Amino acid sequence: MEYARQIILTAEGSTTDERWTTETPYVADLIGGAVDVRRDTLPIDYGCGIDRLARELIGRHGCQVLGVDISARMRALAVDYVQSDRFFTCAPEMLDALVARGLRADAAISI
């Protein structure tokens, strides 16, 4: 998990932990300002990694989040990190299949 966090946020003048703590709520505020996030909102986090934003958004708004990532390992880490029944992950190919079968989302984010 720590290695994944360092991949997601390189230090760039501060520690990964400092960036994680500062940037996660900041980006969630930006998303909340652009999208009316409610309990019935379904955003897609494309390239989710371990999905720090899903955890933050679900914690704040109780929404559902679909995390999409090419890496099966990152998807597995995301499920472990987010730990919510309001979150699930899939590969990009599965997202294509879900959309083809009628899935609609309220927003898409990619950080």
Side-chain angles (χ1 to χ4, degrees), residues 13-63:
S14 65
T15 69
T16 297
D17 286 339
E18 289 169 342
R19 288 192 63 202
W20 195 274
T21 302
T22 302
E23 291 179 16
T24 303
Y26 174 76
V27 173
D29 286 343
L30 291 175
I31 293 166
V35 178
D36 182 20
V37 184
R38 301 174 312 273
R39 185 165 175 77
D40 62 345
T41 302
L42 175 63
I44 295 173
D45 186 355
Y46 200 89
C48 67
I50 64 173
D51 223 332
R52 64 191 172 120
L53 292 175
R55 184 171 167 169
E56 185 77 14
L57 292 172
I58 292 166
R60 287 178 181 210
H61 306 286
C63 62

Side-chain angles (χ1 to χ4, degrees), residues 21-109:
T21 302
T22 302
E23 291 179 16
T24 303
Y26 174 76
V27 173
D29 286 343
L30 291 175
I31 293 166
V35 178
D36 182 20
V37 184
R38 301 174 312 273
R39 185 165 175 77
D40 62 345
T41 302
L42 175 63
I44 295 173
D45 186 355
Y46 200 89
C48 67
I50 64 173
D51 223 332
R52 64 191 172 120
L53 292 175
R55 184 171 167 169
E56 185 77 14
L57 292 172
I58 292 166
R60 287 178 181 210
H61 306 286
C63 62
Q64 301 171 46
V65 179
L66 169 55
V68 179
D69 203 287
I70 194 168
S71 168
R73 182 70 181 134
M74 284 295 189
R75 293 191 310 266
L77 287 170
V79 169
D80 186 53
Y81 179 72
V82 177
Q83 294 189 4
S84 173
D85 292 338
R86 302 195 61 76
F87 173 73
F88 68 104
T89 65
C90 68
E93 296 80 11
M94 180 56 75
L95 176 62
D96 292 344
L98 291 169
V99 169
R101 287 166 179 76
L103 174 73
R104 298 293 176 256
D106 299 294
I109 57 175

